[in-house]
């Protein structure tokens, strides 16, 4: 956890403040559409704006491999950024550490894209449902759409063979 504190001081303590509405949006999206483990990772990334994967594994009490898998999924979704830092120890060894943070701007764009894609799919399904035939003659197999029902509504007889629909 001390690495998180030192990385915060490296930035001079100046962090961009994230609006509460944006944090709430991230929480709602993660809770609604993603696995609980991914939601937990994002919740910790909201709480700690820049955190090392080992520290995240300790906080969540998960195995490091599982945390790495979850972070890789969030990275492929383009929700988080990864920053690699080489840290030299007192003994002169250098270790590579990955620090993760939420990319709020990209996340908003991804959410907009996915919502737009869902809206387009819904519109396409609505068009398909309005153009398909709803009624079919049992004799001649003539199909009648919603627009044709005004002609056959009263009798429910086919206009061509006068058989039941």
């Amino acid at each position: 956890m001390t690495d998180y504190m030192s990385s915060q001081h490296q930035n001079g303590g100046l962090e961009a403040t994230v609006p509460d509405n944006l944090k709430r949006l991230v929480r709602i999206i993660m809770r609604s559409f993603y696995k609980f483990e991914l939601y937990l990772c994002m919740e910790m990334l909201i709480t700690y704006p820049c955190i090392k994967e080992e520290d995240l594994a300790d906080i969540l009490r998960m195995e490091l491999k599982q945390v790495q898998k979850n972070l890789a999924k969030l990275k492929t979704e383009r929700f988080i950024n990864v920053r690699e830092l080489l840290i030299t120890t007192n003994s002169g060894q250098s270790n590579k550490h990955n620090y993760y943070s939420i990319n709020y701007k990209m996340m908003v764009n991804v959410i907009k894209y996915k919502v737009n894609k869902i809206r387009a799919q819904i519109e396409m399904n609505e068009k398909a449902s309005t153009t398909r035939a709803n009624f079919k003659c049992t004799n001649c197999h003539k199909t009648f759409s919603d627009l044709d029902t005004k002609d056959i509504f009263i009798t429910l007889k086919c206009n061509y063979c006068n058989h039941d629909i």
Side-chain angles (χ1 to χ4, degrees):
M1 222 33 177
T2 57
D3 288 335
Y4 166 71
M5 298 298 179
S6 64
S7 70
Q8 189 176 22
H9 291 295
Q10 287 175 354
N11 294 337
L14 299 174
E15 293 183 7
T17 57
V18 179
D20 290 335
N21 290 337
L22 189 54
K23 289 179 182 179
R24 193 168 357 126
L25 174 69
V26 171
R27 285 182 174 115
I28 290 169
I29 294 295
M30 293 307 297
R31 233 180 299 148
S32 301
F33 299 108
Y34 292 93
K35 294 189 308 186
F36 186 70
E37 295 168 342
L38 295 176
Y39 165 71
L40 286 178
C41 289
M42 285 299 277
E43 187 65 38
M44 289 301 110
L45 287 170
I46 291 171
T47 306
Y48 304 105
C50 185
I51 189 167
K52 189 168 59 167
E53 59 189 8
E54 291 87 5
D55 292 342
L56 188 59
D58 289 341
I59 291 170
L60 294 174
R61 290 181 169 72
M62 296 172 91
E63 292 183 19
L64 183 61
K65 280 189 168 187
Q66 184 65 32
V67 170
Q68 288 172 340
K69 181 181 165 187
N70 292 336
L71 291 172
K73 173 70 174 162
L74 292 172
K75 187 179 175 190
T76 58
E77 291 283 333
R78 297 184 180 181
F79 290 164
I80 61 174
N81 287 335
V82 180
R83 191 172 64 200
E84 293 180 0
L85 293 177
L86 287 174
I87 298 176
T88 56
T89 60
N90 294 338
S91 62
Q93 292 179 336
S94 60
N95 295 328
K96 183 181 83 167
H97 294 284
N98 293 327
Y99 287 85
Y100 293 87
S101 61
I102 299 175
N103 186 350
Y104 287 100
K105 185 176 181 179
M106 181 60 84
M107 187 164 186
V108 168
N109 289 337
V110 169
I111 291 169
K112 283 181 183 178
Y113 172 75
K114 288 186 177 188
V115 167
N116 205 11
K117 202 172 174 183
I118 291 170
R119 183 188 51 76
Q121 182 67 35
I122 290 170
E123 287 177 358
M124 191 175 73
N125 289 345
E126 284 178 354
K127 282 182 182 178
S129 69
T130 58
T131 57
R132 72 172 176 223
N134 293 332
F135 301 99
K136 188 175 186 178
C137 177
T138 55
N139 187 32
C140 67
H141 304 293
K142 168 78 173 137
T143 56
F144 298 94
S145 69
D146 291 337
L147 300 174
D148 297 329
T149 55
K150 64 179 174 65
D151 298 332
I152 60 169
F153 183 69
I154 297 172
T155 61
L156 287 178
K157 299 276 186 188
C158 179
N159 292 345
Y160 297 100
C161 67
N162 207 23
H163 202 265
D164 289 339
I165 295 178

